[in-house]
Amino acid sequence: MLIAQLSDIHVRPKGRLYKDVVDSNRMLVAAIEHLHGLDRRPDLVVVTGDLVDDGHPDEYSHAVELLDRLTIPFLVIPGNHDQRDNFRAAFADHRYLPPQGPLHYCVDDHPVRILALDTCPQGKHHGHVDADGLAWLQSTLAANPHKPTLVLMHHPPFVSGIPYMDRFRYFDANPLAEVLRAHSNIEAVLCGHVHRAMVRRWAGTIVAACPSTTTEIALQLDPGAEPRSYLGPPACMLHLWDPQHGLVSHTSYIGAYPGPYRFF
Ligand SMILES: [Fe+2]
Ligand SMILES: [Fe+2]
């Protein structure tokens, strides 16, 4: 099974730019064309939050219009820039989304089980899952404790070292880590939010953060660094699973680059 991950697509209303400078809408179209042009067609696409920038219905209608260009089935989770009610209304035909409350869900139609955690307290930019959410996670994991499982969540549950992102990190991750550490079938936790590729060992599994299809947040590790972002090479991730070899996660850059060249 091949799972493609897009993250932080930050769709704007038609004709509007992200941060007034970047055409995130056009970049999402490029990301979709990139997935359609891969030599192996993904079986599923997961979009790990920040689907829009302001949470307004006109952004969501445009996000749905663009994402519906995908010829591959896709799942969505919210990020801190999403507005839960507008998100739910926009994706009303996505039957896996719960009709009320946080957008936690489980999709068990594939060789890999997918659990999505809504880490977004409404009106805040940091991440957190409350006790009810952790209880849902615990019971959902316990219901199928041997099937290979991926957990999707927008906020990476660790300190990145990038000071302006860590102010909006997932707070108090230890209770979540305890739930996950008790299960040995979690292949990986897939996140977004930081607009950069990162990987970390955590809670007995691997956490991978996916780059954005639009801007790259600056890699600055000085605690006093000022927030910056760049137009770097946009990217997505490709998670290749098979029961014999397990999961391998690739970063796949979007766009045209020189090559191919012979290397033997
Ligand atoms: Fe984002
Ligand atoms: Fe975010």
Side-chain angles (χ1 to χ4, degrees):
M1 180 179 192
L2 183 62
I3 300 168
Q5 181 182 6
L6 302 179
S7 201
D8 294 85
I9 60 180
H10 287 271
V11 170
R12 298 286 285 132
K14 267 182 201 172
R16 297 275 301 278
L17 299 175
Y18 171 47
K19 306 294 182 202
D20 295 326
V21 285
V22 177
D23 193 348
S24 56
N25 300 334
R26 183 189 56 75
M27 295 176 88
L28 172 58
V29 171
I32 290 169
E33 288 171 356
H34 176 76
L35 296 184
H36 288 165
L38 292 171
D39 70 333
R40 177 168 166 170
R41 176 186 163 84
D43 301 287
L44 181 70
V45 178
V46 297
V47 190
T48 47
D50 287 354
L51 271 61
V52 302
D53 198 47
D54 278 340
H56 292 152
D58 52 352
E59 287 185 325
Y60 282 110
S61 61
H62 196 207
V64 167
E65 181 185 323
L66 295 178
L67 286 170
D68 279 346
R69 295 185 184 200
L70 275 168
T71 59
I72 306 160
F74 66 96
L75 306 175
V76 290
I77 72 168
N80 52 297
H81 285 264
D82 289 296
Q83 202 283 336
R84 186 180 291 159
D85 293 336
N86 294 340
F87 182 105
R88 195 183 337 252
F91 295 101
D93 60 331
H94 286 231
R95 297 290 174 197
Y96 55 85
L97 293 173
Q100 58 197 22
L103 295 162
H104 311 309
Y105 62 84
C106 173
V107 170
D108 210 351
D109 305 336
H110 305 284
V112 177
R113 196 171 186 233
I114 294 179
L115 265 62
L117 273 182
D118 181 345
T119 57
C120 305
Q122 290 302 277
K124 310 281 188 198
H125 281 287
H126 71 275
H128 187 63
V129 174
D130 65 12
D132 288 346
L134 294 181
W136 173 87
L137 178 64
Q138 163 61 32
S139 64
T140 307
L141 284 167
N144 200 347
H146 302 299
K147 186 169 175 178
T149 296
L150 289 172
V151 174
L152 312 181
M153 52 190 277
H154 180 67
H155 296 79
F158 56 80
V159 171
S160 70
I162 302 172
Y164 34 85
M165 292 311 290
D166 287 337
R167 286 199 280 278
F168 308 111
R169 71 178 185 274
Y170 187 103
F171 289 152
D172 189 20
N174 287 340
L176 172 59
E178 268 179 47
V179 173
L180 295 179
R181 194 176 280 116
H183 296 84
S184 59
N185 58 323
I186 300 169
E187 292 293 328
V189 178
L190 306 181
C191 308
H193 186 55
V194 181
H195 294 215
R196 303 199 59 83
M198 294 190 300
V199 64
R200 187 178 190 236
R201 176 168 69 97
W202 179 77
T205 187
I206 301 287
V207 186
C210 181
S212 167
T213 57
T214 179
T215 55
E216 181 179 88
I217 285 173
L219 177 55
Q220 300 180 102
L221 302 173
D222 180 335
E226 291 296 321
R228 285 185 184 144
S229 66
Y230 290 91
L231 259 183
C236 60
M237 291 191 80
L238 300 176
H239 306 283
L240 180 62
W241 160 262
D242 83 63
Q244 187 184 357
H245 302 106
L247 186 82
V248 62
S249 295
H250 296 269
T251 301
S252 179
Y253 295 102
I254 298 161
Y257 301 92
Y261 306 113
R262 291 167 62 118
F263 64 94
F264 281 113

